[in-house]
Amino acid sequence: MHQHMSQVLLDIALNLTSNQNSDAQYQHLIDGIDQVFPCDASALFIFDQDGFLVPVAVKGLANSVLGRRFFPKAHPRLEAIMQSKQPVRFDANCPLPDPFSGVLLSEEAELDVHDCLGRSLHVDGQLVGLLTLDSMTVGAFDAIESVTIETFAALAAATLRNIGQIKALKAQNKKQKHVTETLIQQARSKEGELVGLSPQINQLRSNIATVAKSDYAVLITGETGVGKELVAHSVHAQSHRSTKPMIYVNCAALPEGLAESELFGHVKGAFTGANHSRAGKFELADGGTIFLDELGELPLLLQAKLLRVIQQGELQRVGSDKHLLVNVRIIAATNRNLEQEVAAGQFRADLYHRLNVFPISVPPLRKREGDIPVLSGYLLEKVRNQFNIPNLHLHPKALAQLERQPWPGNVRELEHTLTRSALRAIQQNETIIQPRHFDSDLRPTDAQSASKYFPQQSAGLRSLVEEYQRDLIVHAYEKSEQTWSKTAEFLQMDRGNLYRMAKKLKVVG
Ligand SMILES: Nc1ncnc2c1ncn2[C@@H]1O[C@H](COP(=O)(O)OP(=O)(O)OP(=O)(O)O)[C@@H](O)[C@H]1O
Ligand SMILES: [Mg+2]
């Protein structure tokens, strides 16, 4: 083969592995033809899924051709090329209509007498496209050796296949991305919102909105059950990273010995059992957010590694010396007082300062003025949906009871209390949750029950005393394994007298 020609072919072969965009690659092929074959016009077609031949690069032809699609049946020359696995030549006298009539740019084109040559392009026996050459010089293609055409055709076919595969991969990738985003959106809508009307919650909302826009690290603090995780989701959802995932890491539950790999990944063979290389949570969060929950529990050794990733924006998988750049926003949460932990040497001061750029403190439930009624309404709605009980309500007395509690376990404790009392009410076929449905530590205390014996409004002494007697008898009866003889002993009175009194007070029928 000609020295010049092999250079052009080599050039095209190298181009196969380059990462130019597809249009540039098609054009590169056509430019190569121009250098190897004596022709005035050339075109590269791909055979699309609908059975059309679509020109993707042309030379010596009006660019308008690129906007056309050719149905082979309507263009006998193209069809003939398609059906052959050899080069097909049409000489100047060929009567078959020319698909490019009128679009040849050559000055002699109006004579409309020219030679044509075409070659179908196959990969693994499948048609992927075809090439056409036109020359104004009659007999121009006679001298071309078949091997040259074949070599070129093989290269062109491989190029088309490569581009096709890359396009398919990109399409798949795009689809995958779309699926991921949809799933994230769905998951988010299930996460629930930050309920509350108190000034404290409004302040929290405004802090979240301010912080969310930035890329700074956020440290969320607050007692257990106040909603730190909810706040973290809210920060991420309002950030410009919201279409990317927020990767969750529970620092208190990192598997021992595997914690570093969990966070930063590992390469194959990094340790016994590392049969495949694996990305860590930081890599998975690239472009998005990582949520380090229970940050206060992170072992000191990992604190050092985490600090390095934050400072340098790059990480190394366990067992690898390659540095990987990651772009991750960090949100951390803890119910510990990290300042105290730092003072006690349990938490690195430098890491604390890095993460504490934007502290968000979530107030305890007892400090949120007036939030218990709305939160109870919201949480009860959840219970109604969960158990499919549309008619379930909270008695005002029960609500008042809830409002008096200190709630050391905050919203989570309120939620559990409501769920348990709802279940008790449902079990007893009742639709209104009363104070007696609460856990025993929440039921009215003796002092509170006693208040009914000291009425705010006028009431007869006799009926008040009788009510007290009634309660006393019931109480004693419960304490006495529900037997009258023991109840009489408990109240230190005669069994007969007790029974008559119980009947008179309508404690027994
Ligand atoms: N303001 C709120 N509105 C609605 N639901 C809330 C609110 N705050 C908390 N919750 C709910 O209370 C429960 C506990 O919240 P979350 O898990 O976010 O608390 P936490 O602060 O992370 O607790 P811990 O420190 O124990 O991990 C969750 O079910 C959450 O949805
Ligand atoms: Mg939490």
Side-chain angles (χ1 to χ4, degrees), residues 14 22 59 69 71 88 96 106 112 116 125 202 207 230 241 248 314 332 338 351 354 364 435 454-455 476 483:
L14 290 175
S22 52
K59 191 147 192 165
R69 306 162 88 209
F71 192 54
V88 181
L96 292 176
S106 164
D112 213 21
C116 299
N202 283 329
N207 291 348
L230 214 53
R241 294 167 182 260
Y248 178 87
E314 58 179 34
L338 283 191
L351 181 61
R354 275 278 175 172
F454 302 101
T483 61

Side-chain angles (χ1 to χ4, degrees), residues 164-237:
Q165 284 178 338
I166 288 170
K167 277 193 171 165
L169 279 175
K170 279 190 179 155
Q172 199 188 6
N173 200 345
K174 205 170 150 190
K175 191 177 147 213
Q176 209 57 49
K177 237 177 98 179
H178 181 71
V179 169
T180 311
E181 283 175 13
T182 311
L183 286 175
I184 289 174
Q185 231 52 53
Q186 279 179 0
R188 181 143 309 134
S189 63
K190 280 197 202 129
E191 254 149 36
E193 49 187 319
L194 214 58
V195 174
L197 301 167
S198 63
Q200 291 79 5
I201 282 293
N202 283 329
Q203 180 62 52
L204 178 67
R205 282 200 193 96
S206 127
N207 291 348
I208 292 171
T210 310
V211 165
K213 307 277 179 297
S214 78
D215 253 346
Y216 291 118
V218 180
L219 181 61
I220 305 167
T221 56
E223 292 175 12
T224 182
V226 283
K228 295 185 291 297
E229 193 169 337
L230 214 53
V231 169
H233 281 287
S234 181
V235 171
H236 175 71

Side-chain angles (χ1 to χ4, degrees), residues 228-229 293-294 412:
K228 295 185 291 297
E229 193 169 337
D293 202 5
E294 319 237 20
R412 183 182 296 113

Side-chain angles (χ1 to χ4, degrees), residues 327-401:
N327 171 4
V328 174
R329 191 225 190 134
I330 298 182
I331 300 179
T334 182
N335 52 21
R336 293 202 187 201
N337 181 333
L338 283 191
E339 226 160 307
Q340 276 173 17
E341 301 283 315
V342 168
Q346 298 294 317
F347 202 88
R348 290 183 67 111
D350 41 13
L351 181 61
Y352 171 63
H353 292 301
R354 275 278 175 172
L355 294 178
N356 200 32
V357 186
F358 253 118
I360 292 190
S361 139
V362 188
L365 183 55
R366 64 187 162 280
K367 293 212 176 135
R368 303 180 199 174
E369 296 151 32
D371 271 358
I372 301 255
V374 271
L375 266 172
S376 300
Y378 168 79
L379 296 170
L380 204 58
E381 179 70 24
K382 260 168 97 171
V383 177
R384 277 196 288 265
N385 292 335
Q386 210 174 335
F387 297 102
N388 198 17
I389 313 269
N391 277 319
L392 188 65
H393 304 279
L394 196 58
H395 193 279
K397 274 191 181 158
L399 179 60
Q401 185 75 26

Side-chain angles (χ1 to χ4, degrees), residues 407-426:
W407 301 116
N410 294 290
V411 186
R412 183 182 296 113
E413 191 186 1
L414 175 63
E415 180 169 12
H416 290 170
T417 296
L418 276 170
T419 308
R420 279 196 299 268
S421 50
L423 286 177
R424 280 194 201 103
I426 293 167

Side-chain angles (χ1 to χ4, degrees), residues 18 38 73 98 101 146 161 241 309 335 351 386 492 495:
S18 81
K73 283 259 177 295
D98 186 330
S101 109
S146 276
R161 195 218 2 216
R241 294 167 182 260
V309 173
N335 52 21
L351 181 61
Q386 210 174 335
Q492 301 177 4
R495 187 173 177 279

Side-chain angles (χ1 to χ4, degrees), residues 288-307:
T289 303
I290 197 161
F291 175 37
L292 303 174
D293 202 5
E294 319 237 20
L295 176 75
E297 321 300 315
L298 195 69
L300 278 165
L301 183 77
L302 284 170
Q303 290 179 23
K305 303 213 158 155
L306 175 60
L307 182 68

